[in-house]
Amino acid sequence: MNGKRILFSAIITAIIGFMLGLGLAKVGQPNEIGLKYDRAVYRSWIRSYGIWGIGIGFVVGAGQEYLRQAKVEQDREN
């Protein structure tokens, strides 16, 4: 297994997940100055969706690259 490839894939997918998380937060709360909702739960959407996007993207990217490399390695053995 190539650890550098797995890490690279995880980082790139985490960046994409971060951008998707920010996009979802922006759609849910289009005006950052005047809050659409006044409850405290909704005030940290932009930060928390970005963090969730990074985490999910990192795990998905690393898992996908690991499975791809495992399949290539298995094909070489057969």
Side-chain angles (χ1 to χ4, degrees):
M1 296 285 165
N2 190 348
K4 289 181 182 179
R5 278 187 148 178
I6 294 173
L7 183 62
F8 177 76
S9 177
I11 290 172
I12 294 300
T13 312
I15 291 170
I16 293 169
F18 177 71
M19 289 187 290
L20 287 174
L22 286 182
L24 286 174
K26 189 70 174 171
V27 167
Q29 187 70 41
N31 187 0
E32 296 169 8
I33 297 170
L35 296 173
K36 187 174 181 180
Y37 305 106
D38 59 351
R39 290 179 39 192
V41 175
Y42 299 112
R43 291 184 183 159
S44 63
W45 269 14
I46 293 174
R47 190 177 329 142
S48 65
Y49 276 31
I51 291 170
W52 277 101
I54 287 173
I56 292 171
F58 190 87
V59 169
V60 167
Q64 183 180 11
E65 182 62 24
Y66 177 81
L67 290 175
R68 191 192 68 79
Q69 287 186 18
K71 184 178 182 330
V72 169
E73 192 173 298
Q74 184 182 18
D75 290 344
R76 274 191 226 148
E77 291 176 0
N78 292 333

